[in-house]
Amino acid sequence: MKKTLLIAIIGLCGLFANAQLVQGEMLLGEQSKMEIKLKNNKVVNLYAAFREGNYPLHFIFTTDAIPLNEDKKEVVQFVFTTTVKKEGKIIGSSKRNPIPFFPGDMFMPVETFDFISILSNIQTNSNDRISEMSSGKYEVILEAKPIGVKGTIKPVRFQITVN
C-alpha cells in the first residue's frame, strides 16, 4: 500500500513538474554571430541591406507545455531588446512592449529592433550628413525574452566595422 501511494505521489509530482518552457535562437542568416563591414559610414545603407534581404533575421523557437488559447494555438509573448555598443561601451539600448508569437521559424523585419535608430542618432548631423556613423567597431545585440514562461532564446550578435 505504501509503495502504491508513493508511486502515485511521484507520478502526480511529475505531471506538475512539466513546466511551461520556451527554447530557441535568433540568427542573422544562419549564424548567431557575424561581422558586417560597411562600404561607407551611412546607417541608411545598412538599413537598406537588411531590407533587401542581405542579412535575413530569423527568430526560431519551440514550446513545451504551453496552454492553448481559445483558438487552440500556443502563443508566447516576447519582449525584444536591442543593445548597441561602440568599442565595448553601451551607446544605446531599447526595449519593446511585449509582442505575441506562435512557435516556429520566422523572418523578422529589421524594424522589430531599434539598432538602426540608435546608430542613426548617436551624433548630431546636419541635413547633408544625415545618418552618418563615426569610424570604429560597433556591436549590436538583439534579444527576445519570453514573458511568463521559463526558457531562453539565444541572442544574435553582430559587429559592424566602419572605416
Side-chain angles (χ1 to χ4, degrees):
M1 180 71 173
K2 287 183 181 181
K3 284 185 180 180
T4 307
L5 183 60
L6 181 61
I7 290 171
I9 290 172
I10 291 172
L12 285 173
C13 289
L15 287 175
F16 292 114
N18 192 9
Q20 298 174 0
L21 181 65
V22 170
Q23 292 180 308
E25 63 187 337
M26 296 195 63
L27 300 171
L28 198 55
E30 296 180 7
Q31 303 173 38
S32 61
K33 290 185 178 182
M34 176 184 273
E35 183 174 356
I36 299 171
K37 293 184 180 182
L38 295 182
K39 294 179 181 175
N40 62 40
N41 65 343
K42 303 271 194 272
V43 177
V44 72
N45 293 334
L46 176 65
Y47 176 62
F50 272 88
R51 294 286 299 168
E52 292 166 0
N54 296 339
Y55 306 108
L57 185 59
H58 291 258
F59 179 39
I60 305 160
F61 76 96
T62 59
T63 60
D64 185 28
I66 300 295
L68 301 178
N69 67 9
E70 62 187 33
D71 295 327
K72 306 231 184 289
K73 296 184 187 243
E74 295 176 314
V75 180
V76 178
Q77 291 218 78
F78 288 90
V79 171
F80 292 98
T81 305
T82 304
T83 305
V84 178
K85 299 178 181 181
K86 181 177 182 193
E87 311 296 343
K89 180 182 174 192
I90 294 176
I91 59 170
S93 64
S94 70
K95 186 184 287 191
R96 292 285 178 115
N97 288 329
I99 302 172
F101 279 89
F102 301 114
D105 179 354
M106 61 214 81
F107 290 103
M108 302 292 287
V110 67
E111 295 88 359
T112 305
F113 297 94
D114 293 321
F115 65 93
I116 297 297
S117 175
I118 292 169
L119 291 169
S120 293
N121 294 300
I122 55 177
Q123 61 188 22
T124 304
N125 291 324
S126 59
N127 283 341
D128 62 333
R129 299 182 72 185
I130 240 166
S131 85
E132 286 186 4
M133 297 168 41
S134 59
S135 62
K137 291 190 181 239
Y138 298 82
E139 180 182 21
V140 177
I141 304 162
L142 307 178
E143 299 174 279
K145 296 180 181 174
I147 303 289
V149 296
K150 293 182 180 183
T152 59
I153 303 297
K154 294 176 190 168
V156 66
R157 297 171 177 265
F158 57 96
Q159 189 172 40
I160 301 167
T161 303
V162 179
N163 293 326

